[in-house]
Amino acid sequence: MSNELMQALKELEKERGIPQEALIEAIKSALNTAYKKNFGTTQNVSVELNKMTGEVQVYAQKRVAQQVKDSCMEISLEEAQIIDPTCEEDTMVNVEITPSNFGRIAAQTAKQVVVQKLREAERILIYEEFSEREGEVVTGTIQRIESKSVVVNLGRTEGIMLPSDQILSERYEVGQRVKGYIYEVKNTSKGPSVFISRTHPYFLKRLFELEVPEIYEGLVEIKSIAREAGSRSKISVHSIDDKIDSVGSCVGPRGIRVQNIVTELNGEKIDIIKYHRDPDKFIANALSPSKVLSVWIDGEGKKARVVVPDYQLSLAIGKEGQNARLAAKLTGWKIDIKSESQAEEENEPDD
C-alpha cells in the first residue's frame, strides 16, 4: 500500500464519481475483516489507513494494568506511557501490532474493494441511464434464450423479454436483431434488470411516433390503442389541425408508413380509426371495416347497441369475436352487435 493507492482513489472520484472517503471507509472495513480472518484474534483490533501516505497500520486496544495477566488484552503502565505519557492505570490505549506480512494482504484487499466499488458504481450509472429510457424503443441483439425468456444485448447491459412480452407467432434466434419497448427497469442485487416487450400496446404507439412525423411533432394524437399482439390491433387517432388528415398521415404515401410497422410486427394487421368525441360515431368508426347502420347509446351502463347489414354481421364481429372485442377495448364501451334483420325482429310487436 502506498501513495499510489491514494492517487488512484482520487482519480476514481474524479472520473467515476465514487467519493474517495467512501472508498477509504470500505477499504478499512475490508482490512479489519481480512486481519481477523488471517490472524484470528479475540483482541479489539482496528485497522487504520493513512489518507496522505496510504500506509496501513493495525492497532489493538489494551487496558493499562499495574500487573499484566493477559498480554493480548493488557499492557503495563510503563509501556503504555511510552505510547501516551498521559495515560493512567485502567485506561485504554491503542497499541500498534501491524504484522510484517500484512502489507501484501492489505494490497490485495484494497484491490478487491476498488473493483467491487467500480462494479457498484457502473451498476448505478446503468440503472440511472435506463430508468430515464423507460418508455423508449431500443434495438439489440439476442444473446441467449433461457427458461423461455429472451436475453437481448443492449450494449452496456442486457434486456429481458419474458414469455408474456414475446409475440407468439415470432421465432427468436441467437444473433437476431430485435426491437423492444422498455416498460420497466428494476435495481437488483445483481445489477439493473431492463424489461423489454414486443407485445405492449405502447410498443405500437412508439413505432407510430417513429414512423409518422405528424405524431412525433404532436400534430396528430393517438387517443387509444387496442392490441392482440401478433394478430391484430386498432389505434384511434385525432388531428389537432383540421387541415391534416389523421388517418392518412398514419397510413402514409401509398401506405408505406403503416406497412413499415406491419413489417416490423411480422404481419400484424393494424386498423387505423378516426377518433370522434361523439361515442356513437367513434363506435361506428371502431368497428371498421364493417359498415354500421345505427348506434344506440346507453350512457349509464356505457353500453352501445349497434346494427349492421345482415351480410356484414360476421365482418363486424370478426373471427372469434376479435373485431368486436378490439372495438370495445378501443372505445371503452360494451358493444352489442345485431344484424338488421335481428334488430327488426326484436322491434316487432308481439301478436
Side-chain angles (χ1 to χ4, degrees), residues 218-231:
L219 300 173
V220 172
E221 180 184 3
I222 296 177
K223 300 294 287 186
S224 58
I225 298 173
R227 188 176 182 210
E228 294 185 2
S231 177

Side-chain angles (χ1 to χ4, degrees), residues 145-150 161-164 166:
I145 298 171
E146 50 186 41
S147 302
K148 295 185 179 179
S149 292
V150 177
M161 190 157 58
L162 300 172
S164 58
Q166 301 167 26

